[in-house]
Amino acid sequence: MLLSLAIQATRPLFTNPVSIFMVVLLIILIVPLLLHRLKIPHVIGLILAGVVVGPYGFNLLARDMSFEVFGQVGILYLMFLAGIEIDMYHLQRNLRKGLIFGFLTFSIPLALGAVIASALLELPPLSSLLLASMFASHTLIAYPIVSRFGLTKSPAVVIAISATIFAVLGSLIVLAGVAGVCREGEFSASVLLKLLGMLLIYCLACAYIYPRLSRWFFRKFSDPIAQFIYVLAMVFIAAMAAISIGIEGVFGAFLAGILLNRFVPTRSPLMGRLEFVGNAIFIPYFLIGVGMLINIKVVVSGWTTAYVALVMSVTAMGTKWLAARAMQKIGHMSASSRSMMYQLTNAHTAVALAVVMIGYETGIFGEAILNGTVIMILVTCTISSIGTSRAAAKIKIEELEQQQQQIDNAKSDSGPMSAINTLIPIANPLVASELVSLALLMRGDLRRPGKVYALHVRNDNSASSRAVGRNSLDTARQLGASIDVAVEPIERFDLNFIAGVTNTIEERDINEVVIGLHRRTQVLDSFYGDKLPALLKATNKMVMIARCFVPANTLRRLVVFVPQKAQFETGFRRWVHSLANLTGQLGCEMVVCCSENTRRAIETVLLGDRLEIPHRYKEISQWDDFILLSNKIMTDDLFVVVCSRRTAVSFTADMDELPNFLHRYFSNNNLLIVYPEQFGKETGFSTMAETLAADLEATPSPLWVKLRAAMRKAMKFSHTFAKTGRQSDFDL
């Protein structure tokens, strides 16, 4: 029996567009629910569902133009999500390993595949090389499984994604070279050089245009629908441009994801919409369409087809395993990481179909190779999905154990860990979205329990005051719901704003307050206004005062000014966590301006709590250096100033002039003013006095011996991780 990729002559059961879409939606809904009980990945379930309802199954649906369109969109969307969800900092750190694995997972299958195809399938050299390019490529069909496990930042996943683009590009170049030989009758180096030149120009043009255009668009247009359509349009423009130069569109979609990654934070409404649409419609449509191509009957149609399919499947999987094994040895990686890299790169779909169709149409491949390719797709996709699910479960367990150990260590250092409850006082619905977005970005990936509250305080019962409050709270709640974070609204009638906020802090056990900076309406108004100074006196909790003139996702850097002795404050560890979360979510760089001792303490927290973010330091020892930063802060930077309340350890008399300095020198800059928790019971970083007292109390020795031992331990503690800290003298 011959396999034909065209629609069968028999009429399918469902031909009406409404009925076709209904059947597809029922498959997308029911199949994952049923297979979840059987512990089978939903990816393979959708492919098998396509086999059942397709023209080679019960012929319920024909693989018509809708599956062609949505299937092509689905594979582009899959590669786009892989690019936009990848952590750029981890990508940079693992780029060398990714390139090495990309070379291995391309060259090993290409070389061994060509030899095996020539020896076992008795193909001529040109056909063997083209078939081997199919083995060398792969498709991240199991990526949705990794995303559901929350492992997109795992080093093994980042390495596999980096290797994907190398392998796909290499396979497409081999395909272009073989196709050129078939057309010209001989190998043409000029054609290959032209393709590489066009590819280089294409990458440089996208890298120059996309960031600048995106930053301008997101600053000018805040409508969520417009932003969503813009991102999709840029993806398909990149894909179409790649196709026009002779490269598959999957490369363009992945490149667009990498370039737009910076402007779509992980915990943002836009990311939620992109993931929802892709995982709900486009990617399932693609998987069902893949299943509709598969004809199980070809396996039993004859020995030749079964033999070819067996050789192709074993070669494809075996060579990919060898590449993953070699990478494990070179990179000194664990067995679970090797399994993850192997299973992610084991599936063959998009490029394999392109290669076999071109080879079949040009007469390089026969029917046996065509049928064997379809069976290979089914086998590799099935094993890749199941294997990825198991590997992801193992890696997730390992990460959870590390996180639990980290939490236990923090408990031993800082006492019982309380929930992080965030309060966001909102007075105006126009700034509610900006303020809530910033607060949620600073929470990062939640490791401890806690709630987010949006508060509106009023002291009158007028209809206008009620309407403003409800609009503000509705905006905050909707924004939280768009990223699956419950924002609890609180509408409070109280004597005044300060009383309402402080009473809520005590009633809800609030740990941190994120509030907008006072907007001056009169010449005599102070920089802080009359509410913020009163709030800082009324509570010792961490208060963060924000003012942003540009959307948070368009910020380039966080420039943080930290006063001396800030590491001895109660809330030191918490504000370091908040700024690290914000930096990681925005994918930008954090530049910390502080003294040498404070730098060591910050580096200790970042390394000890595994907060991996791009950061560097500039040593500042005097308050006068603060003013010198004014001409170094750009309009797309966020200038963060860590302050202190009076009588606190890190307070200096110069801080009394801080509002005037900020108004005079930073009136046009984005600001975040942080007042850490002070005078509280919870401690995030042991002070020198506490270390000395503990050692003097615990050491049963003469006083001078106690003092000497305590000082030795305190000095050792203050220099922890000092050698691993990074400091560079650079110009902001």
Side-chain angles (χ1 to χ4, degrees):
M1 178 185 294
L2 300 180
L3 175 64
S4 174
L5 298 180
I7 301 176
Q8 287 185 335
T10 56
R11 184 178 179 85
L13 180 61
F14 298 100
T15 58
N16 184 276
V18 176
S19 61
I20 293 175
F21 201 70
M22 176 199 69
V23 173
V24 172
L25 290 180
L26 290 177
I27 293 173
I28 297 173
L29 172 65
I30 297 174
V31 169
L33 297 178
L34 294 178
L35 296 183
H36 179 71
R37 296 179 177 273
L38 302 176
K39 305 300 182 181
I40 298 177
H42 73 285
V43 172
I44 190 60
L46 293 173
I47 294 177
L48 294 177
V51 175
V52 173
V53 303
Y56 303 108
F58 291 101
N59 198 25
L60 301 180
L61 299 174
R63 198 173 190 279
D64 56 8
M65 186 56 66
S66 66
F67 285 96
E68 293 285 347
V69 173
F70 279 92
Q72 186 65 26
V73 171
I75 185 60
L76 295 179
Y77 214 103
L78 184 66
M79 294 300 295
F80 163 68
L81 287 181
I84 204 169
E85 289 182 349
I86 195 171
D87 189 286
M88 297 304 295
Y89 177 65
H90 288 82
L91 176 63
Q92 293 175 1
R93 294 186 60 184
N94 295 279
L95 185 60
R96 184 179 63 87
K97 291 183 178 180
L99 293 177
I100 294 175
F101 183 50
F103 174 77
L104 293 174
T105 198
F106 168 74
S107 59
I108 292 178
L110 184 69
L112 295 181
V115 173
I116 293 174
S118 178
L120 299 182
L121 300 181
E122 299 180 354
L123 295 177
L126 192 63
S127 300
S128 299
L129 182 61
L130 185 60
L131 187 64
S133 70
M134 182 192 307
F135 301 147
S137 68
H138 58 264
T139 304
L140 295 173
I141 200 168
Y143 182 79
I145 299 174
V146 174
S147 182
R148 290 194 177 192
F149 274 91
L151 296 176
T152 56
K153 296 181 180 180
S154 173
V157 175
V158 174
I159 292 172
I161 294 175
S162 304
T164 297
I165 201 62
F166 187 99
V168 169
L169 264 181
S171 300
L172 294 176
I173 291 174
V174 172
L175 174 60
V178 173
V181 171
C182 293
R183 288 193 304 266
E184 305 294 335
E186 60 181 0
F187 176 74
S188 176
S190 60
V191 175
L192 187 59
L193 290 176
K194 180 181 178 182
L195 176 63
L196 294 176
M198 293 293 292
L199 178 62
L200 178 61
I201 295 174
Y202 166 79
C203 293
L204 292 177
C206 289
Y208 180 82
I209 296 174
Y210 269 52
R212 290 164 175 78
L213 182 60
S214 299
R215 182 170 286 106
W216 171 84
F217 184 89
F218 284 115
R219 287 182 179 179
K220 293 293 183 181
F221 303 97
S222 59
D223 180 65
I225 297 178
Q227 291 183 351
F228 177 80
I229 298 299
Y230 168 79
V231 171
L232 288 189
M234 298 303 287
V235 172
F236 285 94
I237 289 173
M240 193 62 206
I243 294 173
S244 65
I245 65 172
I247 299 295
E248 283 292 314
V250 292
F251 173 76
F254 182 80
L255 180 62
I258 291 292
L259 296 176
L260 294 174
N261 181 292
R262 173 72 182 74
F263 304 97
V264 186
T266 304
R267 298 175 63 85
S268 67
L270 182 56
M271 178 63 82
R273 296 184 185 98
L274 291 171
E275 290 181 335
F276 173 78
V277 172
N279 294 326
I281 300 294
F282 292 137
I283 296 177
Y285 237 110
F286 162 69
L287 297 174
I288 295 172
V290 170
M292 296 175 72
L293 291 172
I294 299 172
N295 186 355
I296 301 297
K297 296 178 181 178
V298 300
V299 180
V300 296
S301 62
W303 166 248
T304 302
T305 300
Y307 173 73
V308 171
L310 178 63
V311 171
M312 292 179 63
S313 300
V314 172
T315 302
M317 294 186 296
T319 53
K320 288 293 185 181
W321 185 88
L322 289 175
R325 178 65 174 172
M327 186 63 217
Q328 179 192 9
K329 292 295 184 180
I330 295 174
H332 305 287
M333 305 178 72
S334 63
S336 57
S337 297
R338 179 205 65 209
S339 180
M340 174 62 74
M341 292 188 299
Y342 166 58
Q343 298 297 354
L344 275 178
T345 58
N346 189 28
H348 298 72
T349 305
V351 179
L353 285 174
V355 170
V356 74
M357 289 305 300
I358 293 176
Y360 182 70
E361 292 172 356
T362 56
I364 298 177
F365 294 148
E367 291 282 353
I369 300 296
L370 184 63
N371 294 333
T373 300
V374 176
I375 300 304
M376 182 192 70
I377 289 174
L378 175 62
V379 173
T380 57
C381 289
T382 302
I383 295 178
S384 175
S385 301
I386 297 175
T388 301
S389 181
R390 293 179 179 177
K394 292 180 181 179
I395 294 178
K396 190 65 177 180
I397 291 174
E398 294 174 359
E399 287 193 356
L400 291 176
E401 290 176 350
Q402 292 178 356
Q403 291 180 7
Q404 186 60 45
Q405 183 179 4
Q406 175 185 332
I407 292 175
D408 293 340
N409 293 337
K411 286 182 179 179
S412 62
D413 293 340
S414 307
M417 296 181 69
S418 60
I420 300 178
N421 296 322
T422 304
L423 180 66
I424 312 172
I426 302 173
N428 190 341
L430 297 178
V431 299
S433 178
E434 168 193 322
L435 204 58
V436 174
S437 297
L438 192 63
L440 296 180
L441 289 174
M442 285 190 287
R443 287 181 68 87
D445 295 329
L446 303 180
R447 296 180 181 177
R448 293 186 285 187
K451 296 183 178 180
V452 181
Y453 300 95
L455 171 67
H456 180 79
V457 180
R458 55 183 176 83
N459 55 8
D460 65 82
N461 283 323
S462 63
S464 60
S465 179
R466 288 176 177 269
V468 170
R470 290 172 182 173
N471 289 339
S472 302
L473 297 178
D474 287 343
T475 301
R477 187 181 65 252
Q478 292 172 6
L479 183 61
S482 64
I483 56 174
D484 296 327
V485 175
V487 178
E488 184 175 329
I490 302 175
E491 185 178 6
R492 188 183 188 97
F493 180 88
D494 218 315
L495 180 64
N496 53 49
F497 176 80
I498 301 302
V501 173
T502 53
N503 290 336
T504 304
I505 290 175
E506 297 299 327
E507 294 170 359
R508 306 300 175 108
D509 194 20
I510 300 299
N511 307 103
E512 57 187 27
V513 180
V514 181
I515 190 171
L517 182 62
H518 166 71
R519 302 296 176 96
R520 301 183 64 186
T521 58
Q522 299 179 5
V523 178
L524 298 179
D525 283 351
S526 63
F527 185 76
Y528 278 173
D530 57 347
K531 296 179 181 179
L532 291 179
L535 177 62
L536 294 173
K537 291 180 181 179
T539 179
N540 69 322
K541 303 298 183 182
M542 182 167 73
V543 178
M544 291 177 282
I545 308 166
R547 181 190 70 186
C548 282
F549 295 113
V550 299
N553 62 333
T554 63
L555 295 172
R556 291 180 184 268
R557 297 183 306 177
L558 266 70
V559 181
V560 186
F561 179 85
V562 186
Q564 296 190 37
K565 302 180 182 180
Q567 66 270 27
F568 300 137
E569 300 291 356
T570 303
F572 173 74
R573 185 186 296 268
R574 179 165 295 169
W575 71 255
V576 172
H577 272 257
S578 297
L579 296 184
N581 289 332
L582 181 60
T583 303
Q585 290 293 320
L586 296 179
C588 59
E589 180 187 41
M590 182 169 70
V591 182
V592 184
C593 306
C594 61
S595 64
E596 176 64 17
N597 292 332
T598 305
R599 181 195 67 80
R600 293 172 181 167
I602 294 175
E603 194 71 15
T604 300
V605 174
L606 294 178
L607 292 174
D609 294 346
R610 301 176 63 87
L611 298 172
E612 299 177 340
I613 57 170
H615 65 287
R616 49 181 172 162
Y617 299 92
K618 177 177 176 61
E619 184 174 358
I620 288 183
S621 57
Q622 298 180 358
W623 181 262
D624 294 341
D625 296 332
F626 176 84
I627 302 177
L628 299 179
L629 294 175
S630 59
N631 61 345
K632 308 294 184 181
I633 308 299
M634 311 304 292
T635 56
D636 49 9
D637 292 337
L638 177 62
F639 185 39
V640 183
V641 183
V642 180
C643 298
S644 176
R645 296 173 175 85
R646 282 184 171 276
T647 72
V649 177
S650 60
F651 180 82
T652 63
D654 294 320
M655 290 187 182
D656 288 333
E657 298 298 323
L658 176 64
N660 294 331
F661 284 150
L662 293 177
H663 175 63
R664 183 179 305 171
Y665 300 106
F666 302 94
S667 58
N668 297 322
N669 296 107
N670 308 300
L671 291 176
L672 180 64
I673 307 168
V674 180
Y675 283 87
E677 180 179 353
Q678 291 161 322
F679 321 117
K681 296 180 180 180
E682 182 181 348
T683 160
F685 195 87
S686 299
T687 65
M688 194 71 68
E690 290 172 342
T691 305
L692 288 171
D695 286 346
L696 287 173
E697 190 175 320
T699 307
S701 305
L703 181 60
W704 69 272
V705 177
K706 294 180 181 181
L707 183 61
R708 185 177 61 182
M711 289 296 297
R712 187 182 296 113
K713 183 176 180 181
M715 293 300 295
K716 181 180 179 181
F717 176 78
S718 65
H719 286 81
T720 303
F721 299 114
K723 294 183 179 180
T724 58
R726 290 173 295 170
Q727 180 179 5
S728 58
D729 188 12
F730 63 97
D731 190 357
L732 287 176

